[in-house]
Amino acid sequence: MKTFHFARAAAAALIGVAFVGTPARAEIKNYEFQLVQPTVKAGADRVVTVRLVDRTTGKAVPDAVIFSTRLDMAPDGMQEMATKVTPMPGTEPGTYRFKATFGMAGRWQLSLDAKVQGETGSVENKLVVTAEK
Ligand SMILES: [Cu+2]
């Protein structure tokens, strides 16, 4: 038991060191995508709207370049059940819209990778959208 606890403490310490040793990427960490609506109706051609927010100011961030998208049912154990994501023009600055077919009711994971103007690194977020019957 003692050894076990020691091992855990040592591992935690190592993680702490690794974290501190990582180059600072504080700025990009301040950005996050948020779902405007957490649910959609299951079916074809549904629109998902997200907002990119700078958490230090609470403001929406326009002109991000979303270079990778994926929508699948990983939250319900069906990561192989992926659906095509088609970007659409946003309706207001700082919002980004996607069209997709939700072929099944349940939880879908929207993975987004984006570049923010003037920042190094990228925003990598996973959001859960619930498709309702
Ligand atoms: Cu499914």
Side-chain angles (χ1 to χ4, degrees):
M1 253 335 193
K2 264 210 168 89
T3 318
F4 174 70
H5 285 295
F6 175 76
R8 285 235 312 205
L14 278 176
I15 291 164
V17 168
F19 182 75
V20 170
T22 304
R25 277 177 56 188
E27 293 84 358
I28 201 73
K29 294 283 180 207
N30 292 334
Y31 297 90
E32 75 176 10
F33 284 103
Q34 298 171 350
L35 287 168
V36 172
Q37 271 242 328
T39 61
V40 294
K41 207 129 170 65
D45 295 340
R46 301 307 181 201
V47 174
V48 176
T49 306
V50 299
R51 186 184 294 119
L52 179 61
V53 175
D54 179 347
R55 285 183 292 176
T56 58
T57 61
K59 287 193 176 141
V61 180
D63 304 323
V65 178
I66 298 171
F67 61 90
S68 170
T69 57
R70 180 178 165 89
L71 185 61
D72 61 45
M73 288 196 79
D76 278 351
M78 290 174 269
Q79 36 275 95
E80 72 288 349
M81 190 171 176
T83 191
K84 193 180 159 209
V85 180
T86 307
M88 298 174 68
T91 46
E92 54 184 285
T95 67
Y96 306 83
R97 299 196 306 153
F98 308 95
K99 192 166 71 178
T101 294
F102 292 78
M104 187 178 162
R107 288 175 298 162
W108 293 75
Q109 178 171 270
L110 177 62
S111 305
L112 298 172
D113 295 347
K115 294 278 182 198
V116 177
Q117 305 291 332
E119 301 286 6
T120 51
S122 51
V123 183
E124 294 163 18
N125 283 169
K126 295 183 192 304
L127 305 170
V128 176
V129 183
T130 302
E132 297 175 329
K133 280 188 182 152

